[in-house]
Amino acid sequence: MKETSPVPSAASRFGRSNEVGRGTLSPIGLAACDGRAPRRNAGAPRDCFVGTGEMAALMQATDWSKTPLGPVESWSLSLRMMVSFLLANRFPLLLWWGPQYISIYNDAYRPILGNKHPKSLGQPVSECWAEIWHILKPLIDTPYQGGPATWMDDIFLEVNRRGFVEETHFTIAYSPVPDDTAPRGIGGVLATVHEITGKVVAERRGMVLRDLGLRAAEAKTAKEACAIAAAALADHAKDVPFALFYVIDEDHANARLASAVGIGMGESAAPLRVLLAEPAPASGTWPLGEVVRSDAIVLVDDIDARFPATPPGPWSDPPRSAALVPIRSNTAHQLAGFLVAGVSARLAFDDQYRSFLGLAATQIATAIATARSYEEERKRVEALAEIDRAKTAFFSNVSHEFRTPLTLMLGPLSDLLAKSGDALAPESHALVAVAHRNGLRLLKLVNSLLDFSRIEAGRAHARYEPTDLATLTAELASSFRSACDKAGLTLTVDCPPLDKPVYVDRDMWEKIVLNLISNAFKFTPAGEIRIELRTESNHAVLRVRDTGAGIPAAELSLIFERFHRVEGVAGRTHEGTGIGLALVQELVKLHKGFVTVESEVARGSTFTVRVPLGHAHVSTQSDDNARPLSTATRADAFVSEASRWLRDGVLTTQAAATCTAPAGAVRGNAERARILIADDNADLREYLERLLRERYDIRAVADGEAALAVLRSEPIDLVLSDIMMPRLDGSALVRAVRADPRLADLPVILLSARAGEEASIEGFELGASDYLYKPFSARDLLARVGAHLEIARLRRQSVRTEDRLRAIFETTPECIKIVAPDGTLLHMNPAGLAMIEAESAAAVEGAPIFDLISPADREGWRACHKRICGGERLSWRFEIVGLQGTCRQMETHAAPLTLPDGTVAQLAITRDITQRLRDDEALRELNQTLERRVAERTRALEAETAERRRLQALAQQAQRLASSAPRPTASAFSAWRSPSTA
Ligand code: ADP
């Protein structure tokens, strides 16, 4: 070990130096001390106590003459030099000097001594470290007696320096210190000591946590997680002498012991159950409730008092305390359990210990949480499997139960149909035929379900018989011939005889073939259906090819799943359950064969069934008692169903021809409303028609696209549409109707097989006016159709009234406005807006109207408005100030108007009377002028009249004079003309 001693600098700092005679004193490289003013301090022995540290002072103060080392003055140069070196060093150093190994150490060494310091200074090592003397002695003796220096990387020592026997670890180097004055040339031993307890313990704990982490992930249950954690801790007893794992019950009242290590489960200190609610008694149990309440680690340091037998540990003395550590759960503020960990009697329970246990509990918590989610997942899977089993059992039972009443219904119906001509009126015959056909359809479906559930439950017993498969397959395929002919499809049956018979269950093979051909028929609008049978590599291979709609690539892997159907595929009908192909697959599997599909959208599909030849793969034992459980399904059930899809198309055109007026025609009979029925099921369409045709004119189509075409070309009052239809379904039809402004208000009633509230809510969300689910009663249907037609009529009427009112509102030259009780202008017509100089309604509607009233009239206006909103009718005049500042005189006639929300507003018709008032004023002025003039004129006339009267009087007087006197002279006449001059 190479030591770079700080001595030289310390010495120079203290102004002293050690007297060192030789270049090298010890293996620890004191050469650095060498040659610095060696002689100057030779005469001051106590100068070797260099520095200002506690140890220097203590050594100064020590009366060394009372120790075996004797007075300092007697110390050899070597000893003094070592002391000064040691005191100046910051690494923990200890010198054992003389045969008794008297201890001298520096400040850095004090923590290692714990409470042994300061007594240990000058003490023989055998006393100071009495508890480990047996270990130290040989290690010190060796170098002291001339042997090699001692080096140990990790020496484990149980020392008692803090009031308890403690686990410690050190790296040590014990080196001889030469001294000329010593008998054997070695004065003592220099110990370089590095305590590594912290590091060793930390590494060990790291391993514990790693082990816990690694192993705990394997747990599948909470209990298992605890057991695995216990096993992991078993290898680390030094840190966890014993451990108990408690898991909290679901009721949170108890904790149950799940596993234990270092202590037997159920022993006194390992109670199997701990109550959490009450404060724990002082003995016999662990106070786990306190951990719940404090939500932190609780240290129990009275194990002895609590339990009669203390669990042992790896040390000679058992743990005195235990830490109760919470194990958290995934739920906030809820614990999953507790770890009760014994605290090593050899270690102090410090922060590191605490956080180690905390981390260990976290690992366990993670393991428990993972195990619990695994457990929950497993339970979920089990529950699903259980549901699946229950579902299969239910299908099986229900299908079975259905078959009896169906048989009882179908029997009498076919009897009725079979009766000769007159037994049934034609109308009734058609009705019975519908019931019979649909009964058969239901029976076929029930049979498929029953077959399926039997196979799933492992109860399907096939009877494998050597069969001429080519003939059987060709017969089955040929049963579709007439349907294909009607549909214009080419049916090619290519089934040459096979070399040998194939072992199949005939009923099952029928179902396989019929299902595949009926699908091909359903999804092939035009082209060919081809059925081939061959033998290939020891298999009978059936191929059903079609040139139909095809299946999107993404759907191919799902197509054989139960109830899986491809959305939006163009077929003859939308009917179907998605069970056919799943059943085919199961039936083929029972023959140890397999079915595959290849398909391309719009080009067609090929379904290939391969069944092994020979009989090695199937049991051919005939068991007479084994009832053939497979339900026989007649080819005609498939074919008659297929023909119905075909008839749909034919019927649609017929129905269109019989039930409708030519496209674009105006309704002839205004009394009868026209109803459009859209449904791909011909029976249902006919049934609806029959129900409605007495009251309404009916138009019927088979899909949404046709319905939309009719709606866009003919007047229709109400649509009754199925949801599931090929080409355009009911939902899309509703959307298209609502999006078309000319049709947006048309009532649409949707029909669906999906019952339940959510289904109807969905229907309404789509924009449907109403929603009827099958089966519905005739009365219900008629009532709803009637109600919706009436609503539509009223709506049309109210729209007309509203249109009229709107026209008045828009065109009248008076201002029409509605003002809310708080003065907000709600509506104003264009004339009103012009009066208040607003560019648009948006500029003023919603704003208070008071601002438009002249300040002088505002209060009066408010008062009137209040009275109107209180129920009065009023007329008054006021002035307004327009938005451009123009003042206008207004006259208003206002009445209360109840708004839809129940509040009473002011409805007013107001006219601009500014011009009228101006005209009135002008008229008044004109009147006054005229009156003045008349008065003047009158006065003038009166004066004239008076004058005339005076002149008349004068004339009469003159006449009288003349009659009594000679004729007047000319001068007399001129005097008459101008009286003034007279
Ligand atoms: P279903 O015909 O009653 O719906 P299936 O199980 O027989 O039930 O068929 C499942 C789905 O597979 C059908 O809904 C259809 O989308 C698709 N499919 C089956 N056969 C064909 C075919 N030949 N061409 C196109 N699609 C097909």
Side-chain angles (χ1 to χ4, degrees):
M1 180 177 169
K2 204 94 170 115
E3 171 85 2
T4 309
S5 169
V7 168
S9 58
S12 50
R13 200 167 58 240
F14 300 138
R16 305 187 193 104
S17 182
N18 305 305
E19 190 170 338
V20 181
R22 286 189 298 264
T24 302
L25 273 173
S26 77
I28 55 170
L30 291 177
C33 307
D34 187 23
R36 305 274 172 91
R39 309 252 152 238
R40 210 174 57 213
N41 294 325
R46 280 188 175 264
D47 282 0
C48 68
F49 302 135
V50 295
T52 52
E54 183 198 337
M55 289 317 293
L58 199 59
M59 289 187 74
Q60 278 280 10
T62 302
D63 182 358
W64 291 99
S65 61
K66 295 198 174 129
T67 73
L69 290 184
V72 181
E73 291 72 22
S74 70
W75 289 5
S76 69
L77 189 63
S78 181
L79 173 57
R80 279 189 279 150
M81 199 276 302
M82 281 308 294
V83 167
S84 67
F85 160 76
L86 181 123
L87 288 176
N89 206 307
R90 284 161 66 187
F91 197 84
L93 293 175
L94 165 72
L95 185 65
W96 289 306
W97 201 254
Q100 282 179 279
Y101 303 147
I102 301 302
S103 309
I104 296 171
Y105 50 92
N106 63 2
D107 287 339
Y109 187 75
R110 281 171 308 169
I112 295 175
L113 286 161
N115 56 17
K116 292 177 190 289
H117 166 80
K119 197 178 160 203
S120 46
L121 184 66
Q123 212 180 16
V125 67
S126 55
E127 287 173 28
C128 173
W129 290 112
E131 67 271 30
I132 50 170
W133 174 232
H134 58 289
I135 301 169
L136 293 187
K137 187 173 183 302
L139 300 176
I140 304 172
D141 282 351
T142 306
Y144 187 72
Q145 288 163 8
T150 308
W151 164 267
M152 286 186 86
D153 212 3
D154 175 6
I155 179 169
F156 159 61
L157 299 170
E158 286 181 89
V159 303
N160 187 344
R161 56 180 176 177
R162 289 199 273 179
F164 65 97
V165 180
E166 190 180 348
E167 173 193 356
T168 59
H169 298 261
F170 297 92
T171 297
I172 55 159
Y174 294 171
S175 316
V177 181
D179 184 6
D180 291 344
T181 62
R184 277 198 298 268
I186 295 181
V189 171
L190 178 72
T192 314
V193 181
H194 178 209
E195 176 156 12
I196 54 166
T197 311
K199 180 171 156 271
V200 169
V201 171
E203 276 173 8
R204 206 170 60 203
R205 288 173 179 168
M207 303 263 286
V208 181
L209 295 175
R210 199 202 57 196
D211 274 11
L212 268 177
L214 281 179
R215 295 200 213 170
E218 298 155 17
K220 299 278 182 284
T221 62
K223 201 164 179 231
E224 216 174 291
C226 293
I228 291 174
L233 290 187
D235 299 338
H236 303 284
K238 281 186 180 166
D239 289 291
V240 188
F242 70 86
L244 308 171
F245 297 88
Y246 284 93
V247 176
I248 296 179
D249 276 356
E250 275 180 14
D251 62 4
H252 298 278
N254 294 295
R256 290 189 191 275
L257 185 59
S259 65
V261 60
I263 182 168
M265 285 177 67
E267 281 181 20
S268 68
L272 295 176
R273 190 173 71 107
V274 175
L275 274 174
L276 299 178
E278 310 139 16
S283 70
T285 190
W286 298 103
L288 296 180
E290 262 180 54
V291 182
V292 177
R293 284 181 282 282
S294 66
D295 197 26
I297 296 179
V298 170
L299 185 70
V300 175
D301 49 12
D302 57 351
I303 299 191
D304 297 353
R306 277 185 181 270
F307 303 106
T310 311
W315 309 107
S316 50
D317 38 350
R320 289 175 296 277
S321 56
L324 315 184
V325 192
I327 297 176
R328 310 205 174 274
S329 74
N330 273 351
T331 316
H333 312 301
Q334 262 186 29
L335 299 183
F338 310 92
L339 161 66
V340 177
V343 173
S344 165
R346 291 284 181 274
L347 290 170
F349 190 69
D350 54 12
D351 287 349
Q352 284 82 1
Y353 211 145
R354 190 180 278 272
S355 68
F356 156 63
L357 290 177
L359 285 171
T362 306
Q363 301 266 35
I364 298 160
T366 309
I368 291 180
T370 313
R372 285 206 163 137
S373 18
Y374 175 86
E375 242 176 307
E376 272 159 27
E377 189 55 38
R378 191 181 49 79
K379 279 186 193 155
R380 243 196 318 273
V381 170
E382 264 174 24
L384 283 177
E386 185 49 43
I387 289 172
D388 208 44
R389 277 193 292 278
K391 199 171 66 189
T392 303
F394 171 76
F395 276 148
S396 177
N397 294 341
V398 157
S399 316
H400 221 265
E401 288 307 311
F402 275 146
R403 275 160 58 83
T404 315
L406 268 174
T407 314
L408 289 172
M409 280 158 56
L410 283 171
L413 287 175
S414 38
D415 286 354
L416 263 179
L417 288 174
K419 278 196 180 144
S420 59
D422 307 345
L424 280 176
E427 180 85 341
S428 310
H429 192 278
L431 283 175
V432 175
V434 170
H436 183 252
R437 253 193 325 269
N438 285 281
L440 274 182
R441 199 175 146 222
L442 190 55
L443 183 63
K444 177 172 158 265
L445 187 63
V446 164
N447 283 342
S448 297
L449 279 174
L450 191 56
D451 281 344
F452 200 91
S453 45
R454 276 197 189 122
I455 296 172
E456 274 211 330
R459 288 194 292 113
H461 297 293
R463 187 187 288 182
Y464 303 101
E465 296 165 312
T467 309
D468 174 359
L469 206 59
T471 307
L472 175 61
T473 309
E475 270 172 17
L476 289 169
S478 301
S479 57
F480 274 87
R481 182 154 317 274
S482 88
C484 284
D485 287 349
K486 275 191 203 152
L489 287 176
T490 309
L491 177 71
T492 310
V493 182
D494 178 11
C495 302
L498 304 183
D499 301 343
K500 45 190 165 195
V502 184
Y503 279 82
V504 293
D505 177 300
R506 288 181 62 95
D507 279 351
M508 292 186 183
W509 186 255
E510 273 183 17
K511 280 174 203 159
I512 294 169
V513 176
L514 292 171
N515 265 300
L516 292 178
I517 302 182
S518 112
N519 273 350
F521 186 81
K522 195 195 292 187
F523 297 106
T524 308
E528 184 188 12
I529 297 177
R530 188 179 181 84
I531 290 96
E532 289 172 9
L533 190 73
R534 297 280 186 280
T535 50
E536 286 171 18
S537 8
N538 219 22
H539 280 76
V541 180
L542 165 75
R543 286 198 179 84
V544 179
R545 296 180 198 278
D546 66 59
T547 56
I551 301 163
E555 299 279 346
L556 284 176
S557 58
L558 308 168
I559 209 80
F560 292 103
E561 277 180 18
R562 192 166 29 154
F563 305 128
H564 187 81
R565 313 190 67 214
V566 181
E567 290 288 322
V569 64
R572 291 183 191 280
T573 175
H574 208 274
E575 289 172 10
T577 51
I579 195 142
L581 288 181
L583 182 63
V584 166
Q585 190 180 46
E586 293 303 320
L587 293 173
V588 176
K589 271 197 211 158
L590 285 177
H591 288 78
K592 303 292 183 282
F594 49 97
V595 53
T596 53
V597 59
E598 288 159 75
S599 186
E600 211 179 314
V601 173
R603 299 196 68 121
S605 316
T606 304
F607 284 83
T608 307
V609 175
R610 287 187 171 77
V611 180
L613 295 175
H615 53 78
H617 58 288
V618 289
S619 136
T620 52
Q621 260 182 3
S622 96
D623 174 3
D624 287 342
N625 293 330
R627 235 174 357 114
L629 281 174
S630 174
T631 43
T633 310
R634 296 268 144 268
D636 53 348
F638 279 89
V639 176
S640 89
E641 189 180 20
S643 311
R644 292 297 298 159
W645 307 329
L646 194 63
R647 269 189 63 210
D648 285 1
V650 178
L651 265 184
T652 302
T653 21
Q654 284 172 352
T658 51
C659 306
T660 58
V666 183
R667 244 180 299 176
N669 182 355
E671 294 301 306
R672 281 170 73 87
R674 286 174 51 98
I675 294 180
L676 174 65
I677 297 172
D679 199 307
D680 60 335
N681 182 306
D683 282 340
L684 194 73
R685 222 165 41 218
E686 281 165 23
Y687 173 67
L688 289 171
E689 252 185 88
R690 228 186 346 267
L691 286 180
L692 297 167
R693 71 180 160 220
E694 262 186 35
R695 301 186 192 177
Y696 310 107
D697 286 346
I698 306 298
R699 179 81 157 90
V701 292
D703 64 63
E705 244 174 57
L708 206 55
V710 169
L711 289 174
R712 290 188 171 147
S713 58
E714 300 170 26
I716 295 289
D717 296 307
L718 182 143
V719 181
L720 200 55
S721 166
D722 192 14
I723 290 191
M724 308 286 271
M725 289 186 296
R727 303 215 287 165
L728 188 73
D729 66 16
S731 324
L733 175 64
V734 172
R735 267 195 296 276
V737 164
R738 296 293 171 244
D740 186 332
R742 286 171 309 148
L743 303 175
D745 291 333
L746 190 69
V748 181
I749 302 180
L750 285 180
L751 303 172
S752 170
R754 271 179 66 205
E757 195 178 329
E758 290 118 60
S760 19
I761 288 170
E762 262 174 41
F764 290 126
E765 276 171 4
L766 288 173
S769 321
D770 207 342
Y771 196 94
L772 264 174
Y773 60 86
K774 303 171 194 169
F776 45 81
S777 70
R779 254 180 59 192
D780 197 12
L781 175 84
L782 288 170
R784 296 223 201 169
V785 167
H788 281 286
L789 284 171
E790 179 60 12
I791 292 170
R793 191 185 62 77
L794 289 174
R795 194 186 301 131
R796 276 199 301 276
Q797 214 169 48
S798 81
V799 164
R800 277 199 291 274
T801 313
E802 196 182 317
D803 282 352
R804 246 176 265 143
L805 284 175
R806 186 170 298 282
I808 295 171
F809 184 79
E810 298 286 328
T811 54
T812 181
E814 316 285 24
C815 162
I816 302 180
K817 64 177 186 290
I818 301 174
V819 184
D822 66 353
T824 305
L825 177 64
L826 300 177
H827 296 294
M828 186 176 266
N829 66 347
L833 295 174
M835 289 176 197
I836 60 165
E837 298 167 322
E839 280 179 5
S840 66
V844 282
E845 282 179 2
I849 198 166
F850 302 123
D851 297 349
L852 295 166
I853 315 292
S854 279
D857 288 340
R858 214 170 274 166
E859 273 319 300
W861 201 97
R862 270 184 209 274
C864 291
H865 179 60
K866 199 172 165 193
R867 283 171 59 192
I868 293 160
C869 294
E872 285 182 54
R873 287 167 170 266
L874 290 177
S875 300
W876 77 103
R877 287 184 182 178
F878 55 92
E879 187 184 61
I880 62 163
V881 186
L883 295 182
Q884 308 294 331
T886 314
C887 293
R888 283 187 167 82
Q889 300 301 321
M890 312 300 276
E891 182 182 85
T892 195
H893 304 277
L897 174 76
T898 306
L899 299 178
D901 67 0
T903 54
V904 179
Q906 177 195 156
L907 166 67
I909 297 179
T910 311
R911 73 177 57 106
D912 181 354
I913 53 166
T914 316
Q915 193 56 47
R916 199 180 84 199
L917 288 184
R918 268 192 215 128
D919 292 348
D920 285 356
E921 181 63 19
L923 198 63
R924 211 176 55 242
E925 277 174 15
L926 184 68
N927 273 344
Q928 280 172 358
T929 312
L930 284 176
E931 276 169 18
R932 208 172 52 238
R933 285 203 190 139
V934 167
E936 281 168 10
R937 181 77 187 122
T938 309
R939 275 199 300 280
L941 282 175
E942 279 171 358
E944 269 179 37
T945 310
E947 182 60 13
R948 206 179 304 125
R949 280 198 192 119
R950 190 180 66 83
L951 287 177
Q952 276 173 351
L954 278 176
Q956 283 166 1
Q957 205 176 0
Q959 241 173 359
R960 270 196 309 274
L961 284 174
S963 62
S964 60
R967 293 186 61 90
T969 61
S971 59
F973 180 71
S974 31
W976 173 77
R977 288 288 307 258
S978 48
S980 55
T981 56

